[in-house]
Amino acid sequence: MATLAALMYRLPALVSNPKNLALSALCAYFFFNSIAYFVDLDAFREYFTELLGFPNATTFVVQVSVVVLTAAQQVTVVNLALPPQEARRTTRWLTAGFGVAVTVLLLLFIAIHPHKEADAQETIYLNLQDTGYALYFTYYLTVCAVGRFQTVLFAFKYSRTIPDLWLRLGMWLVACGSALILVYCGVRYWQIAALHGAAVVAPWKFLFWLIADSGTLMQMAGWTIPMWGPKLEAVGRWLDSYRSYVRLAPLWQAVYSAAPGIALENPPSRRLAWLPPRPLDYHLYRRVIEIRDAELMLRQSADPIALHRLDQAQGLPHEVLCEAAVLHSALLANADTPQSANGQQKRSVRQGTPDRSLRQEIANLIQVSRAFQTLDKRVGTTTGPRSG
């Protein structure tokens, strides 16, 4: 399903740009990957065998599809990595080479005519006991192994020249997935040797499908990650902003209760405070500004000793603790004499930090918020305004 979804996602781009060889080859990779998966499902095997009219039809279709998608991977990487003229020349050679390989594979299959059939996992094992089919399958594995080895080399070489993070990561995944398919080919060689050599212990059957499926999934991730990776990154940034927004909430609530004039908009009720506002980045930015505004408004009520310690702690690791102590003392004093509720006090005391980025400012205020909450719990008092 993932391959079909990827194919459907890329087809509109291919329709609008049909001469793009890299995109055409990538769509061919997705298409033949889907064919290789679906036709060999037990639910469809009997139907396709009857449709094509010869035993082991689905097995052969899968093998041809694997050879074609191996070629498509190489063509995609080549057209991404090489200059256009060299890429077209290499594409022609690759197409011709794999075309000959598929033709030979077809002729060998017709000559051998394997007839033993079972489910998808047992059919190959049963036919490999025949020497002719073992030779045919060895040729098929060799074509796949050579193709995947070239893919590993192309992908690793190209990955070193890519500035884009997601495309570079994709090439690494394609190379690693192709390397796993090479391991699969090696395990299959081992199986053939065990079936036709009495001294060789056969490998566990589950190794074939575990390695092949892992390699295929890794390659699929590599070819699709440039599509969904940036969106995943955007989701990560949103989650980071939301986490920061929530972490600043206790400190913002405390200063807002003392100086409600800092807020441009009425805050939501406490039951709905956890819901992310829209647009989130704007409200996070407003929360930072409002906390800093409240600091300036409330500083004149702060304990002078705490202010002195904050001035001495400028640039030191315990600066956030001193800043939290200043805010805490100011809010305690304001709870007794709420002069700053209208937000009109003289602004002075400490200057801002113009050299600090917004992300750094957010990270700093989160630490202040944590220290403020810890101090509030230790003192055992509330910094909110007192009623009556």
Side-chain angles (χ1 to χ4, degrees):
M1 293 303 293
T3 54
L4 279 178
L7 178 61
M8 293 300 104
Y9 183 82
R10 299 305 293 170
L11 270 181
L14 179 62
V15 171
S16 61
N17 190 12
K19 294 184 179 180
N20 188 323
L21 287 177
L23 187 56
S24 300
L26 183 60
C27 288
Y29 168 80
F30 291 143
F31 175 76
F32 282 100
N33 218 324
S34 302
I35 293 296
Y37 176 77
F38 280 111
V39 301
D40 214 29
L41 290 175
D42 289 333
F44 303 135
R45 279 174 60 83
E46 185 176 348
Y47 170 77
F48 280 112
T49 299
E50 291 179 0
L51 181 66
L52 296 173
F54 58 92
N56 284 288
T58 57
T59 303
F60 179 72
V61 170
V62 169
Q63 291 167 353
V64 171
S65 297
V66 169
V67 174
V68 174
L69 68 87
T70 301
Q73 280 195 116
Q74 288 194 41
V75 172
T76 303
V77 179
V78 162
N79 281 273
L80 288 172
L82 300 179
Q85 189 172 3
E86 185 180 352
R88 284 193 293 270
R89 185 170 59 251
T90 306
T91 298
R92 285 194 294 269
W93 279 107
L94 287 171
T95 303
F98 279 98
V100 170
V102 169
T103 303
V104 173
L105 194 70
L106 174 61
L107 294 175
L108 287 175
F109 186 86
I110 293 172
I112 293 165
H113 192 62
H115 59 278
K116 296 177 182 177
E117 282 194 292
D119 58 29
Q121 296 188 18
E122 290 296 324
T123 296
I124 293 177
Y125 175 77
L126 292 174
N127 284 295
L128 278 177
Q129 298 174 39
D130 178 72
T131 304
Y133 189 83
L135 292 173
Y136 159 84
F137 200 75
T138 300
Y139 169 75
Y140 160 71
L141 288 175
T142 303
V143 172
C144 291
V146 171
R148 297 309 171 102
F149 180 72
Q150 289 177 326
T151 302
V152 171
L153 295 181
F154 284 147
F156 272 133
K157 183 178 180 181
Y158 178 45
S159 66
R160 293 196 295 267
T161 66
I162 305 173
D164 181 76
L165 169 65
W166 294 107
L167 188 54
R168 184 168 66 251
L169 178 59
M171 287 298 100
W172 275 90
L173 287 172
V174 167
C176 292
S178 296
L180 276 178
I181 300 299
L182 283 174
V183 175
Y184 163 81
C185 293
V187 175
R188 280 295 194 186
Y189 284 134
W190 177 10
Q191 183 189 35
I192 293 170
L195 285 171
H196 296 275
V200 181
V201 179
W204 297 305
K205 290 183 180 180
F206 77 88
L207 280 178
F208 309 130
W209 314 111
L210 177 64
I211 296 171
D213 290 347
S214 299
T216 300
L217 287 174
M218 196 172 290
Q219 289 175 107
M220 278 298 305
W223 288 121
T224 57
I225 200 170
M227 307 175 203
W228 50 264
K231 296 178 181 178
L232 190 65
E233 190 175 16
V235 171
R237 287 194 299 267
W238 187 92
L239 289 173
D240 184 58
S241 295
Y242 177 67
R243 187 164 54 245
S244 300
Y245 182 82
V246 171
R247 287 174 176 174
L248 289 177
L251 182 60
W252 183 88
Q253 288 286 354
V255 298
Y256 172 76
S257 64
I262 61 173
L264 291 179
E265 304 173 3
N266 292 328
S269 65
R270 286 188 176 273
R271 288 185 178 181
L272 301 178
W274 61 273
L275 290 174
R278 298 179 63 184
L280 178 60
D281 286 337
Y282 166 76
H283 286 277
L284 175 60
Y285 175 73
R286 282 300 314 163
R287 182 156 282 188
V288 171
I289 296 299
E290 288 164 5
I291 291 173
R292 286 306 186 196
D293 283 350
E295 275 189 319
L296 292 172
M297 291 179 184
L298 300 170
R299 283 286 185 80
Q300 61 185 11
S301 304
D303 182 356
I305 296 176
L307 282 170
H308 176 68
R309 289 174 177 170
L310 176 59
D311 289 336
Q312 289 182 321
Q314 295 288 322
L316 298 176
H318 64 287
E319 181 183 358
V320 293
L321 300 176
C322 296
E323 190 172 345
V326 167
L327 269 172
H328 192 267
S329 65
L331 289 170
L332 282 177
N334 185 264
D336 291 319
T337 55
Q339 309 126 327
S340 57
N342 57 13
Q344 299 298 322
Q345 291 73 14
K346 180 181 178 181
R347 298 188 179 192
S348 65
V349 194
R350 188 181 173 209
Q351 294 182 353
T353 53
D355 57 329
R356 186 181 286 169
S357 70
L358 178 59
R359 285 294 163 189
Q360 290 172 325
E361 187 76 0
I362 291 170
N364 176 264
L365 280 180
I366 287 173
Q367 294 182 60
V368 173
S369 180
R370 288 173 177 167
F372 178 86
Q373 294 174 76
T374 302
L375 186 59
D376 213 28
K377 290 176 183 177
R378 285 181 183 175
V379 174
T381 57
T382 177
T383 51
R386 294 176 184 172
S387 59

